């Protein structure tokens, strides 16, 4: 079957996590990507069922057994709703031609009990321990990575499919803002304190936005910088506030201490025409075109230098890179190719 | 088929948790019971496969994919080894006529994907949230409770099967000891501090044994009593040390703050001829025969009164109650009846 025929004949189930609503109100990277995949597939004519929380918003069919995300409703227990969400899609597997799993490793442990093929987008290895599950089931589920750098060399991957973001929520302002911006989880991994240090050394204002995931870290390493004048913290932001925030930005600082797996925020910033100054770790090199849509640096002093020459970056080029490489249509077209390959392999098996 | 025929023709898989070895070296109630079920079934001629850690000790066939319990090997991640352990038995389900699950709620979420019937011994509801899983799968798995009191009124149970303990590890001393004993997890739920208070008021020595599960509680509420003379803490004990400990006991104090689900330690104490003074909560009334093998009390003052009249309890009667109601053969005979009923129901279905 060609793509057009596959779209007409195959039923796709998208499995989203239930930590947050799909799409999330503010934070929730995996739910964001699952949403973008589901909506993008619907847009291109696929028959899609989204397994997500009951309050989720989608043009696909919604199949829900969990009312609200467990991060949004403390009366729930993560382990309980997680296994109920996953077993639900497995029990309905026969209704679909392909399950596209965006919910980490636990779904893999059900795959030998169902007939329907499953594609797992590996959104990251949260610990080395979980690799063991991916290794056991490497011939039972198809895998894609979200960047070339976030690959386990001993796993088979059908492709790298970059995350695609919703560009309708991001607009390029008439001119660059004059502040530095940190956007993301406040956590040592994300290097919020390095953004503070860079802004201070560069003599620039810094706006920090995002959920505080590590309270101790925030209090000890970030708060001392905050004075609501040069350096302010505005909490988490939804899509609309995020776009307003980018309007104020001359650059986004992404001085991640851990190798980035993909780095949605870098694509979002560039999507709003904002260059990114990122540590050259993990996927950053794949997302940011060094010298063209931002700068890759290895320490705070280099980040300060990058801030000084940020005007040399063409803001239209930032937007263009995202449209070409990190948009929803680009991502969905790439997944369509992966789906087609899976259907071909499955046909040959039977 | 009668029982003799079932024993010859049916293959049983026992699923044990992988927090600890089966049987555990010291603490590990569910692994203890799973072990006793497996060994008791083998003793009575069943074809049994035990799914447990690779270092487990059993006369059944051992099927293991997890080397060591995650509580004994901090390099492992509970969630990872748990799902690998459970998916392993599910992937081998077709090799068995019955799976007997001693591993909580997660296995239930695989049951609609396998043909083999599963019996789940509900060892307790660790939170109200997990009931939701038991409710969803109440027609997919057979349930037994470990005491009449630990039942959810909206769940169907085939029977209550009391836990059975290994009496070969427990001997009745020639005469009663002269100390009070607390044995169990050091945790507010278990009322360790109430045992201390009771011993002090009764003017008796107290020996405390068990793992410290709540360090803050131990330091704040228990440690102040410890002076290594009247009140001492000796850490966790294995079967041999436990029997020695019971030799020193005039009574075991079990002043649990939460309703007990079963209370293995009460059966163990009585198995060594030691009367039990317990709070009248949950299953305690089912395990201790009030006035015959110990006393049920409702506060510390009543516990002190009970200590004073503990000599009125016949130590042989304690042992006899355990032999009759809480021994491995008693438990296994009860499970044999449950298995026979399940096979009958399944036959009628097909």
């Amino acid at each position: 079957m060609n793509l057009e025929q596959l779209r007409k004949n195959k039923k796709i189930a998208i499995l989203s996590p239930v930590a947050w609503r799909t799409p999330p109100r503010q934070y929730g990277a995996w739910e964001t990507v699952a949403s973008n995949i589901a909506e993008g597939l619907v847009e291109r004519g696929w028959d899609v069922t989204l397994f997500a929380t009951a309050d989720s918003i989608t043009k696909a069919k919604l199949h829900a057994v969990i009312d609200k995300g467990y991060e949004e409703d403390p009366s729930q227990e993560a382990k309980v709703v997680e296994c109920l969400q996953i077993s639900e899609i497995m029990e309905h597997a026969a209704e679909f031609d392909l399950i596209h799993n965006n919910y980490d490793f636990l779904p893999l442990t059900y795959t030998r009990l169902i007939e329907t093929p499953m594609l797992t987008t590996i959104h990251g290895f949260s610990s080395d321990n979980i690799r063991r599950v991916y290794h056991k089931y490497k011939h039972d589920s198809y895998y894609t990575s979200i960047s070339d750098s976030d690959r386990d060399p001993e796993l088979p991957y059908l492709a790298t499919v970059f995350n695609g973001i919703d560009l309708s929520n991001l607009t390029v302002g008439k001119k660059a803002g004059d502040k530095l911006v940190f956007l993301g989880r406040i956590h040592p991994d994300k290097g919020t304190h390095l953004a503070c240090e860079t802004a201070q050394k560069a003599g620039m204002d810094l706006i920090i936005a995002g959920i505080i995931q590590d309270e101790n870290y925030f209090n000890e390493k970030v708060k001392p910088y905050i004075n609501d004048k040069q350096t302010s913290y505005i909490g988490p932001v939804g899509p609309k506030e995020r776009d307003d925030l980018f309007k104020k930005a001359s650059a986004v600082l992404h001085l991640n201490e851990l190798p980035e797996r993909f780095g949605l925020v870098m694509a979002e910033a560039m999507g709003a025409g904002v260059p990114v100054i990122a540590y050259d770790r993990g996927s950053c090199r794949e997302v940011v075109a060094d010298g063209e849509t931002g700068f890759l640096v290895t320490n705070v002093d280099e980040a300060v230098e990058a801030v000084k020459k940020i005007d040399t970056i063409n803001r239209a080029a930032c937007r263009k890179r995202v449209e070409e490489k990190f948009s929803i249509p680009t991502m969905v077209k790439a997944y369509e190719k992966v789906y087609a390959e899976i259907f071909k392999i499955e046909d040959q098996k039977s």
Side-chain angles (χ1 to χ4, degrees), chain A residues 12 14 41 98 100 119 335-343:
Chain A
I12 311 290
I14 304 290
L41 287 169
L98 180 67
H100 186 165
L119 167 66
Y335 276 125
E336 282 185 320
K337 271 193 198 166
V338 172
Y339 293 179
E341 191 175 341
I342 292 172
F343 290 130

Side-chain angles (χ1 to χ4, degrees), chain A residues 268-282:
Chain A
E268 288 162 352
M270 297 184 326
V274 178
V276 176
I277 298 168
Y279 266 5
D280 188 8
R281 285 177 179 157

Side-chain angles (χ1 to χ4, degrees), chain A residues 233-248:
Chain A
Y233 171 61
I234 61 169
V237 291
K240 173 77 182 72
E241 299 152 292
R242 187 183 56 195
D243 197 38
D244 294 343
L245 179 63
F246 285 145
K247 294 277 178 302
K248 298 176 185 159

Side-chain angles (χ1 to χ4, degrees), chain A residues 20-155:
Chain A
W20 309 95
R21 188 189 75 177
T22 299
R25 289 171 176 81
Q26 288 165 333
Y27 174 74
W30 298 6
E31 287 86 350
T32 299
V33 176
S35 171
N36 290 347
I37 293 171
E39 304 315 303
L41 287 169
V42 169
E43 187 72 25
R44 292 177 69 78
W46 290 85
D47 181 332
V48 181
T49 301
L50 175 67
F51 285 74
T53 57
D55 58 355
S56 293
I57 299 168
T58 180
K59 288 185 179 150
K61 294 166 209 159
L62 178 64
H63 187 125
V65 289
I66 307 301
D67 288 345
K68 277 168 182 284
Y70 60 81
E71 294 284 5
E72 301 180 67
D73 172 9
S75 76
Q76 297 190 89
E77 208 171 308
K79 188 178 172 183
V80 167
V81 295
E82 184 174 36
C83 71
L84 287 173
Q85 165 77 350
I86 291 168
S87 65
E88 184 71 16
I89 196 169
M90 298 302 164
E91 290 156 9
H92 289 270
E95 300 163 25
F96 302 100
D97 298 291
L98 180 67
I99 294 174
H100 186 165
N101 166 34
N102 288 276
Y103 204 163
D104 215 358
F105 64 89
L106 189 55
L108 296 172
T109 68
Y110 297 74
T111 46
R112 289 191 189 168
L113 310 174
I114 62 168
E115 300 285 333
T116 307
M118 184 164 94
L119 167 66
T120 295
T121 293
I122 304 180
H123 286 279
F125 300 103
S126 56
S127 75
D128 264 345
N129 271 300
I130 75 168
R131 293 177 195 261
R132 187 168 170 188
V133 186
Y134 286 103
H135 282 257
K136 175 172 174 185
Y137 292 100
K138 66 184 176 186
H139 301 304
D140 300 286
S141 184
Y142 298 96
Y143 297 149
T144 54
S145 50
I146 56 170
S147 66
D148 288 337
S149 72
D150 196 47
R151 284 193 166 196
D152 180 321
E154 285 165 36
L155 289 181

Side-chain angles (χ1 to χ4, degrees), chain A residues 165-167 169-173 243 246-247 264-276 315-323 326:
Chain A
I165 60 169
D166 184 359
L167 277 162
N169 290 322
L170 294 162
T171 54
V172 181
D243 197 38
F246 285 145
K247 294 277 178 302
L264 278 175
V265 69
M266 296 188 288
E268 288 162 352
M270 297 184 326
V274 178
V276 176
R315 295 162 69 237
C318 294
R319 172 79 182 194
K320 188 151 170 272
R321 180 171 177 82
V322 178
E323 285 171 349
F326 312 119

